[in-house]
Amino acid sequence: MSRSILNLIGNTPLVEAKTLVKNPNVKLFLKLEGQNPGGSVKDRAAYNMIKSAMERGDIDQNTKLIEPTSGNTGIALAMVAGIFGLDIELVMPENATQERVQTMKAYGAKVTLTDGDKGIMYSRDYAEEKVKTGNYYMFDQFANEDNWKAHYNTTGPEVWRDTDQKVTHFVSSMGTTGTIMGTSRFLKEQNSAIQLVGVHPAEGTKIPGIRKWPEDYLPKIYDSSRVDHIYEVNEEEARKMARYLAEKEGIFSGMSSGGATAAAVKLCESLEHGVVVSIICDRGDRYLSSDLFTS
């Protein structure tokens, strides 16, 4: 049977946290999205956005693709685009970790770095200006329904299946919001009592991969009615938890995963009983050139 690397996207492991929850009536499970071939949850959305666009005839091998990214989506798009023989330019802030930039280039993508002080919003503006010239196609992960549909079709069903239909709460950091939007739709269709919990950075806090967007930049795919609760975490909580996960649980992940897990632990402490699933969105080796694990 012929199998592509793309067949390895999804069906990621769900492991129980062994040291984080003291209440025996509450279980916390962590979904290890770093096990995707491109190393993050964004493999799901990237594959679905590219495959769907090709099936519709929106793009082909002659299309010049461009996409702003803070890192993981860009890596995933670079990997999938390379497999399909597509030309892609990825735009990201210059303060992104070198691991991310080099990985995108390794997959064959062109990488354009924008002013780090202006953040991902300026990268979005830059890419949108290029699209206005008429020579580029942008997937626009923030407004692309194929983003959340990837999670409706895969992440949600996997969580439902792998908890034996017992999941009571689902926790996810929110960036593009595709993960929580798609998973929410699926899980609520199975059991409307399941609670969907989004994670934002606290005011004045910067956590790569988690954002609290200004109104003008709010992802168009985001529907606040699909999120039951929002927890805020600060940078120190996220850093501390990322290190704890590596040292005590053997789970090597980035700061956004630390933030989501910190929120999930707070949630678990408030419950008398429940089955909580939280997303570990990528791998920690993306952050080794940063100070995440050294300070």
Side-chain angles (χ1 to χ4, degrees), residues 45 49 65-69 73 77 88 124 127-128 131 137-148 176 217-221:
M49 288 191 296
L65 306 174
I66 191 168
E67 188 73 17
T69 174
T73 299
L77 286 171
I88 190 165
R124 287 173 65 176
E128 286 167 3
V131 171
Y137 178 94
M138 187 168 77
F139 292 103
D140 193 359
Q141 57 183 314
F142 302 94
N144 192 326
E145 295 208 343
D146 293 325
N147 180 347
W148 68 257
T176 70
Y217 290 87
L218 194 67
K220 291 182 173 62
I221 61 173

Side-chain angles (χ1 to χ4, degrees), residues 20-57:
L20 287 165
V21 180
K22 306 307 179 188
N23 184 345
N25 297 318
V26 178
K27 301 289 187 183
L28 173 59
F29 292 92
L30 305 173
K31 191 158 176 60
L32 306 185
E33 291 298 299
Q35 298 298 311
N36 282 302
S40 84
V41 67
K42 299 298 187 178
D43 284 15
R44 298 175 186 264
Y47 179 39
N48 198 46
M49 288 191 296
I50 288 179
K51 179 170 66 74
S52 299
M54 293 185 73
E55 289 172 350
R56 289 190 297 265

